[in-house]
Structure formats: structure tokens, C-alpha cells
Amino acid sequence: MSSRYQPIVVILGLWLLIAAPALDAQPWPGHQAFAQYGHETWQTEQGLPQNTVQAILQTRDGYLWMGTKEGLARFDGIRFSIFDKQNTPQILNNQMRSLYEDREGRLWIATPGGLLMFQRGAFTSYTTKDGLSSNNVWSVYEDRAGSLWIATVNGLNRFRDGKFTAYTTQQGLSNNSIGVVLEDNDGALWIGTEGGLNRYKDGVFTGYTKRDGLAGNTIKTLCADQQGRLWIGTTEGLSVWANSKFATYTTREGLPHNHVEAIAEDQAGALWIGTARGLAHYRDGKLEAVTRPDGLTEAAILALHKDREGNLWIGTEANGLHLLKSKKVTTFTTRDGLSANVVRSIFEDRNGKLWVGTQERGLNLLSKGQLSTFAAQQRLMNDDVMTICDDAAGNLWLGTTEGLRRIKAGIITTFTVRDGLSDNHVRSLYASRDGSLWIGTRRGLTQFRNGQFTPYTMLDGLPSDLVGALCEDRQGNLWVGTLAGLSRFKDEKFTNYTTASGLSSEVVISLYEDAAGALWIGTHGGGLNYFKDGKFSHFTTKDGLPDDVIYQILEDEQNYLWMSSNKGIIRVNRQELETRTNQRLQSVVTFGTADGMETRECSGGGHPAGWKTADGKLWFATIKGVAMIDPAHLKLNQHAPPVAIEQVVVDDKVIATDTPIKLSPEKARFEFYYTGLSFIAPQKVTFKYKLEGFDKDWIEAGTRRVAWYTNIPAGRYRFVVMACNNDGVWSEAAASVEFLLQPRFYQTWWFYAVCLLSLGLCVWWWYRLRVKRLEGQFGAILAERTRIAREIHDTLAQGFAGISVQLELVARMLTIAPQSAKPHLDQARQLVRSSLDEARRSVWDLRSQALESSDLPSALSETVKRLVADTSIQSQVQVSGTYRQLSRTIEDHLLRIGQEAITNAIKHARAQNLRVELNYVAESVKLRVQDDGCGFDPRHSPNGHFGLVGMRERVAQIGGQLIVNSRQNEGTEIIVEVPLSGRTI
């Protein structure tokens, strides 16, 4: 080692051995009975109406009320609601002197302008007009009989059954200016006045003054403790009445000031005394002034109140509202003697001394409750102490950005790259069981043993030369966390693990082996990893962790893992991690500023960044000091938080909830503002809510204190909300509000009934139409059958009968006189032709089946194709114009006319060519059938044929025009034109 780095400082050695024990005699600032309390302050900037708080009270619904000189404030831990003359007409004076809640839950407020009562969201005022002896009221108290006693500047008033009764000096009071009233365990009423203390029992007043041992005659406050003693705060000191005599405490006994304004007793039986110059604490006969926290030392204390969770609320004059509460985390900063707030590393040596390395401000020592610093030593004053450890020989090793330092018997020795160190920037140290000191730097891992440095780099198998965390397991494996993964060093060989092996991130920044031999790995960006039996499991924010950066991992005696991160100190049950399921982690608790930390951001980069000391306490490095948690004495908040719905807003309008809510149908936007009343850590109160009738399951709202709904259907609903405090205790009862969103007319039952009835009527009407149509069709068919039957009977049957007679005669005469049979045979033939014509005429009016499955052009084409199929006639069918469907009647008649004309051309005209044209024009349809047959005279129908007559009848039925052009041996042309105006389908 170079002589340049071997200064031996004898004076330093003596200082280390002598000065540190000497420091034990000096008081450590802040390490008093009050160090376990956190301190918060609220002023007008945070929502108070005014900074002089004269009265504080927590009502049974969980709200905290404050009386100021400029109005009344209701507080839920997050928001203030203000009541004053501007928004509450019943308030006649904004100065709120005292607050009291009676057994019926009514809040009474004493003001210089009269007495106020608040109940179910409404204020009622009482003045001299109602029987008060004075509007200048100081306080209110209810005795065990249910009577209210009102202290005024003009006597004592009793309020019972709606009536006031006044008590003054005429009834035995020593002074009419009454300040405070209290009933003791014996049922005696104690009245504090400006002229002494009065006791009222069995209708008799007894007075006490300074002559009787009272500290002063002007009484400001009274308090009965758990032991039955009466404490009296006066303008000249504190007195206690016990065993029928007074004892007095003043500044001589430890009061910060003799003017006592407020007294409160906590659950432990200790008294808190507010004076004109700070706060005092009395317990087990010892009275001492509270010199911390800052902001209360010189403040005039006007009001004190202990809430149900054990928090002490303090009202001051002109200095706002203060809160003292038990802290789960105790933080040590430069105020407590730390050399710097940015802490790099923490380490407890074999002698039980806790060493704290800071950023560029050297080393600190915490021993036996005393804090000392080495910052005065020039060699260490500017050191950035990144890592600390000791070895079996008792040497203390420091890793800094300027090299490796060893403190041995008061001598500081520095090692650098000139001595064989791989890099001067030392990030981690670990003393293994074999006596080796392992040094992690930016340029690899170095082993220091027997005075020799042995470097290991990527060339030797390390995944990266930037080495962070170091840890040795029970099997003697050295685990190394690097920038490029985790490495195990055993038998001079590195085995590397990366994301390909199952790691969630290759930036490994912390290592811990638990009692079961499993390795826990903290990463930067990949959360927590668990390595056992050669397999990795990991946990990230997706699994319920608040952060994916884990700087340090520790374990307490209750099998909880504790981890430092950028978002606070995390606690999670180790067993839940080991028995991981796909569900989110349920045991995760995060500690931050609400629990006593100066900042939730912990410190990384140094090693170790946290330590578990021999007494079980856990210490963590942060950027604002050292945070300490004692898991064995961690007090959980077991008080279920009351939950309240503060406001319901519908379409930007506040809706009153004290009466049944019925909303008109057009309402679309619903807002529910709620709160959970826990004051230990109100920022950590979480909520879940459900709109019954709409939501199927609870909705986890986190810390959000409003729920929104839009465009919900009409119906009856119930909004329900529950709160959970900082330690996972849910409210015992949910808060709820019911409302009815009225339906629009088309959403009502009667509208549905009308629609159903109308639908039924429509179905019935359609059914009747259908039946009527079927009946009409059946009637038409029946009529047609009757007509055909009649015609057959009248024509065909008679013709067939005549034919039968003629054929019988022919049959007889053929054997007797054949020549005579011929006229009868001719007559039979004539009867057959006549019957055939009658048959045609009978079926002429039947509907064509061809139109049932096709349109008119197709039916005509099919007719032509069928009729000329067995002939030599050349046929042509042409359709022109824009086709449109016609009525069934028109199409049927046109088809029948076309059939008749085509049949005549084939059978009678002996035509060689046939042409059929169907032309659709704007106002009519024209059918033209033309042949080149023998023709005929249109003026005379052929004997025995009725085709032309039938055509004319059909054309007449459809309102058309028939044109027949024909000449002998020149063919025939049949033209039918039918107007279509309003006759298409």
C-alpha cells in the first residue's frame, strides 16, 4: 500500500474511543417522549376559515368540528366544509367559542351572538328572545339527567323541555360571568367563573377561590380524569381537586406558561395541557413542556381534543390547527443531528452500533440512542459513503466514491486502484465467512484476502462489470447482482442468470436469503423475484406491489418481508408470496409520509440500503433521513372508519338527501361525494361502492371520493359506499342513499300495457282480415264452382244427353236402316262441337296458373313456346319498355287474350310465322299478336267460334281497347291497349 494513503491519526483513534461514549451524556434532540408523534398543520391556505381555532370536537358520526373566529368548520381529514353568516342565516356571529354534542347527537355551538344547535344538516338559533339570560355564550354542557347548562356572561342557564332557567349570584353563584361547566362522578356540577370555582349539589352552591388553594380565580377550563380528579385551568396556573383539597402546578413545576386554556386526557391517562405559550404533558406525577414539534413551542393553545383513534388535535391562536399522532415510522434527519439527509447505506456492526453513510457528508453513528457524526474529521467530511461493513477482526470498512477505507483502532487507511483495487468507486462490500472481503465496483468484483486484491471481470465470466448487491448463502455461494443479471460464484466459477432464465429484470440491486434458504432478488423495473429450487417467480405492480424498484429487502420475526422503494416502504406476507396464486397480493401495506416518513422516496445505489438491527427494528435509507420501523411494536389502527355520503349532485345541481329523492326522467349525470372519517392517515383511506339496481359487484374506488354515473335507466336505486382505513379495517356499516329515477312516458307500465293491448288488437284485426280474405277466396271459389256446375248442368249435361240420345238412335238404325242413321250421326257431331264450345266458355274466366310463378312476359313466352312446340310455325316474342308489375286482373286477362289469339293463329289461320309483342310505355301497356295466316273478316265471326267475342269481353273488363286487323289470305293482327294510370302494384 502506498505511503500516501497510510496516515495514522492518533488523535482520531483517541476520539473514537473516548468521544463517542462521552456523547451518551448529551441529550439527543428530538429523542424524547414526544418523538413517536407525527405532526401536521392546517391553516387558511389548507381550507380553514381562520387561523385562530378556539374549539375542537369529534362528533359521533366521525366528523371533526372546529370553531374559529370566522366561522365553523367541518373536517373529514381531506376537505373542510365552512359554515358562517354568509352561507348560514341562523349564524348571527362568526366567532365560535365552544362545541358540545349531547346524547341525542345534537351539536351545540356557543357564540357571542347566541346559542346554535345543528341537527340533521340544519341550524337552529337561540337568543334572549327564547329565554337566554344573555346572547354572549361561552360554553354548553349536558348533565347525566339530560339537562343542558349554558354558560353566559350574565349567569348560568339550564335548558330542559324547551325552556331556559337562569341561575345568577342571586341563587348563590360567586360571579355571573360563567366560562365552563362540568359534572363530576358524584353528580356535582362544577362551574368556572371569573370570580372563582363553584360547586352545585342538591340545590346548594359552594364557592372556591385562591384563598382555598385555587391557582387563580379566573377559570378557563375544567377536566375530570379517569381517576376522578378534577383539573382546573386558570389564568394563574393549573390546579387539581382531589381528596377535597387543591394542588397547584405553575411554571415552577414545569408548565410553559401559567395561563391554562385547555386540558385533555388521552387513553393512557396522560394529561395534555394547553397554555398561552405552548403545550405541556403530565403523566405519573411528572409535568414537562413539549418542546417539539416545531410550531407549537411558543404557540398559544386554545383548544385540545383527543379523537377516537388517539390523535391529539390542537387549536392555536393565529397559528391554525395542529395534529399530534402516533407514528409507525420514526425518521431521523439533520434536525436530529444527522450530517446529511440523503442516506446511502446503513449497517450494524458486531458491537451493536448502527452506522449511517450519507451522500458527501461522511459517516454517522447511532449508539444507545445517541447520534454522533464523523463529519468533523477532514478525511471523511466530504465522503460519499456508498457501502459499509465490518469483518471478523473488528475492522470497519467504508466504500466511497474515492476508494475503499478501513477504520482500525482509530486509524483510517485508504485503498485505491494503485493498491490493486479494480475501481475507486466502491458500490458494495461483503465480508464472507472465509475471511474474504468482496468489493463491488463499476469495473468488476474484487476479492481482498490476506492483504491481496484479486479482480474478477466479464473476462472471468461476470455478466457485467457494474456490480451492485452482494450476498453469501448458507452453502457458501456468493451471489452478485449486476447491471446485466444475477451471478453465482462458486469454486472460482460464475453461473449467470438473466431474463432468459426467468428473471423479471437484469438490473439486480438488492439480495436477501430468508430463513428457509430461498433467495429474494430486488430489481430496478422488474419488481421482486423469488429463487428456489432453480426456479424464479416474480412479483410486480401487476400483482399488487406499489413499485417495481426494490432497493432493499428485510424480514421481521412475523415472517413479513419489508422492502424499500421509490413509493414507500412495502410490507408483504412472505407466505403469501411463496404460495403465489393468480390473484393480486392481499397483504401488501405501504408506509409513507402519512405514517411518519419525511418522504416516501427511499434511497438506492448504496449497499446495504436497509438493515435489521439486533433488537428487531428495521432501518431504511431515504433521501430525507433514516426511517425506522419497529415491527414488534407496530400499532395498527383497529378503529373502523365511519363513512358518510356528503353530497348528491344530479346534472350539476345539489340534491337534498334528508327527504325521499324522486328525480324526473331527463336526469342524466349523477355524482355521489362521500368520505371516510379516519384521521391517522386520511390519504390512505380507500373506498368501494355499488349502485344497487345497476352494478352487479362492488367497484374498487381506491382513494377517490366521488362516484359518477351517466344515462342510467329509469328505476329505483340505492347507492352504497364503504371505507377502509390505513391498516385494512373496513367500516362496520355502509352509508347509503336511495333515489327514484322516474321513467319517461314510454317507459311506464301503462305505456307497455297500451302497447301490448294495441299489439293484441292489431293481431286480432290482422286475423279478422285474414279470415275475411280466406272467406272471400272460398266464396269466390264456391261461386265459380257453382257457376261451372250450373253451366255444365245447363249446357254440357244437356248437350251430352242429346248426344247420348242421337247415338242410341244411330245404334238401332245401323242394323235396320243404315241410311236413316246418318242424319242422327250428323246431329250428334253437331252436338259435340256445340258442347265443346260451351266447355270453353265455362272455363274462360278461371285464373291462369302460369302467372302464379312468373310474370306476364315470361308467361306469354312460355305459352308461345308450348303451343308451337309440335308445329312448323316460326315464332318471335318481343318485350319493350320498362317492365312493371300490373294488377293480377289485368295480367290475367292479357294472358288469356294472348292465348286465344295465338291458338287461333295456329289452329285456324294455318300461319307460318307468328310474332307477339308486349310494350310497356309510361301510361299504358300494349299487347300485339300478328300472324301471316289465311285471315278472316272481322265483321263476321266464324260460325261456332266465340274467341273474338271473349276477347272483347275481357278487354272491356279491364277498361282497354281492342283492335282487330285481318284480311283474307293476308294474315291477322290483334292489338290490345290498356291504360295504366294508378293501376300498377
Side-chain angles (χ1 to χ4, degrees), residues 627-927:
M628 185 274 289
I629 299 178
D630 186 357
H633 299 92
L634 194 63
K635 293 183 179 179
L636 299 180
N637 182 10
Q638 299 295 342
H639 293 270
V643 60
I645 298 174
E646 295 189 315
Q647 202 174 67
V648 178
V649 179
V650 179
D651 287 347
D652 301 324
K653 182 180 179 181
V654 178
I655 303 298
T657 58
D658 54 346
T659 57
I661 302 175
K662 183 182 290 186
L663 303 173
S664 55
E666 70 276 1
K667 303 302 181 183
R669 300 187 310 279
F670 301 82
E671 302 170 42
F672 300 91
Y673 292 87
Y674 48 81
T675 189
L677 300 165
S678 176
F679 296 97
I680 288 182
Q683 306 91 336
K684 298 174 71 174
V685 174
T686 58
F687 302 88
K688 63 180 180 180
Y689 62 81
K690 178 169 60 174
L691 185 61
E692 294 180 352
F694 185 80
D695 294 323
K696 294 182 179 179
D697 300 310
W698 288 93
I699 296 174
E700 300 292 338
T703 58
R704 176 165 50 86
R705 299 185 178 222
V706 59
W708 300 280
Y709 289 89
T710 57
N711 299 318
I712 62 176
R716 189 173 297 276
Y717 297 97
R718 180 171 177 257
F719 178 78
V720 187
V721 61
M722 296 187 71
C724 178
N725 70 12
N726 58 310
D727 284 323
V729 179
W730 284 95
S731 50
E732 296 176 349
S736 65
V737 60
E738 296 183 11
F739 65 96
L740 172 65
L741 179 59
Q742 299 181 90
R744 298 181 185 272
F745 76 92
Y746 52 78
Q747 297 172 321
T748 57
W749 66 268
W750 58 264
F751 180 80
Y752 293 141
V754 169
C755 290
L756 187 62
L757 180 61
S758 300
L759 179 61
L761 290 174
C762 289
V763 171
W764 179 82
W765 179 72
W766 174 84
Y767 172 74
R768 292 301 305 158
L769 286 179
R770 178 68 174 167
V771 169
K772 186 174 181 181
R773 182 179 177 184
L774 292 175
E775 288 177 347
Q777 292 176 349
F778 179 75
I781 293 171
L782 183 61
E784 187 68 11
R785 289 178 62 188
T786 302
R787 182 184 69 80
I788 293 174
R790 183 176 62 251
E791 291 195 4
I792 290 175
H793 178 271
D794 294 340
T795 58
L796 295 180
Q798 294 177 3
F800 289 152
I803 293 170
S804 177
V805 171
Q806 295 299 325
L807 290 178
E808 287 291 338
L809 292 174
V810 169
R812 292 194 197 111
M813 291 183 179
L814 283 176
T815 56
I816 303 173
Q819 293 297 327
S820 300
K822 183 178 180 182
H824 294 285
L825 186 58
D826 291 337
Q827 184 66 28
R829 290 169 58 194
Q830 182 64 33
L831 287 173
V832 169
R833 286 196 293 269
S834 178
S835 297
L836 180 60
D837 289 338
E838 289 298 334
R840 287 176 179 171
R841 192 176 299 111
S842 297
V843 299
W844 184 254
D845 291 328
L846 292 179
R847 170 75 177 162
S848 172
Q849 296 298 316
L851 288 174
E852 294 295 334
S853 59
S854 62
D855 53 23
L856 178 60
S858 300
L860 280 172
S861 298
E862 183 63 28
T863 299
V864 172
K865 182 179 180 181
R866 176 170 48 81
L867 292 177
V868 304
D870 297 327
T871 70
S872 60
I873 298 176
Q874 299 295 318
S875 63
Q876 183 180 4
V877 179
Q878 180 178 346
V879 180
S880 60
T882 302
Y883 167 76
R884 52 192 181 276
Q885 188 175 0
L886 308 178
S887 67
R888 287 290 186 88
T889 302
I890 293 175
E891 289 190 344
D892 186 66
H893 282 296
L894 286 176
L895 179 61
R896 293 301 188 188
I897 292 171
Q899 287 176 341
E900 182 65 25
I902 294 167
T903 300
N904 290 338
I906 295 172
K907 291 185 176 182
H908 303 296
R910 299 185 297 281
Q912 298 298 316
N913 294 287
L914 176 67
R915 180 180 178 85
V916 179
E917 295 178 2
L918 184 64
N919 183 21
Y920 289 91
V921 294
E923 299 295 334
S924 64
V925 62
K926 182 184 289 186
L927 174 64

Side-chain angles (χ1 to χ4, degrees), residues 50 58 102 149 276 303 384 415 525 666 726 790 843 933 977 983:
Q50 197 259 348
Q58 185 179 31
D102 65 19
W149 296 88
D384 196 344
F415 302 88
E666 70 276 1
N726 58 310
R790 183 176 62 251
V843 299
E977 185 174 3
R983 304 175 72 177

